[in-house]
Amino acid sequence: MGKPRINEERFYLYPMKRVAAVLDNEERYADTCHYLEKAGINLSHVNVLKGPEGLRLLDSKGTSHGLLGRFMRWLQRGGYESETLAAHSAALSQGKWLIFVPVRGKNETRRTVDILRSHGGSEIFHFRRWAVQFFPPNSD
């Protein structure tokens, strides 16, 4: 079912209808992808950011994407997106990986979150049309 798109050149504005999570390293990323694919997720629709290039593409201030990019990031400062941008930027700065998985419906969302959690995913957020939902770590 394809491979995830790593550091795809574009502006990562608002990953609507996606679950985003931080993964510590390449091994956890590979394991996560294996189980996402087993669960029926088409990996060619998954985006991944990693390293300094990923941090540049996330562009938390919008400076690399002109006036419109800066304006959009300014608008996001007033919403929950600013917290997700800060958390995800910090993770990329620490050498971690950021994965965006497209989801449809509650069941697929729950299954995706469970897979991400079981492989060490943190800072897990579901970006819906008018809301961002945070999934805290398991309290096992």
Side-chain angles (χ1 to χ4, degrees):
M1 282 207 257
K3 291 185 174 194
R5 293 177 262 168
I6 298 176
N7 288 344
E8 180 180 43
E9 186 69 39
R10 66 183 186 84
F11 188 32
Y12 290 80
L13 185 57
Y14 185 87
M16 194 173 343
K17 297 181 183 176
R18 290 179 177 260
V19 173
V22 171
L23 298 168
D24 286 342
N25 54 45
E26 187 170 3
E27 182 180 348
R28 289 197 181 216
Y29 157 75
D31 287 345
T32 300
C33 286
H34 172 75
Y35 284 95
L36 287 171
E37 189 170 42
K38 281 180 69 172
I41 301 292
N42 183 343
L43 294 181
S44 66
H45 296 143
V46 171
N47 289 92
V48 177
L49 294 175
K50 66 174 188 143
E53 182 65 10
L55 185 59
R56 181 190 71 78
L57 290 167
L58 185 61
D59 191 13
S60 64
K61 295 186 190 309
T63 53
S64 296
H65 292 88
L67 187 57
L68 182 59
R70 288 191 299 276
F71 177 70
M72 294 306 294
R73 290 298 193 225
W74 178 79
L75 286 175
Q76 289 176 328
R77 279 189 212 131
Y80 202 62
E81 296 97 332
S82 67
E83 291 179 39
T84 65
L85 279 168
H88 291 159
S89 292
L92 287 168
S93 296
Q94 297 165 10
K96 297 179 182 182
W97 295 52
L98 179 57
I99 187 168
F100 299 96
V101 182
V103 292
R104 292 184 189 171
K106 290 181 181 181
N107 289 337
E108 190 169 273
T109 300
R110 175 54 55 197
R111 194 169 53 247
T112 299
V113 168
D114 289 345
I115 290 168
L116 291 165
R117 278 181 173 159
S118 68
H119 291 90
S122 62
E123 301 298 334
I124 302 172
F125 295 90
H126 179 208
F127 293 84
R128 300 187 325 232
R129 182 172 299 281
W130 300 109
V132 178
Q133 181 179 5
F134 173 67
F135 290 89
N138 273 342
S139 56
D140 295 341

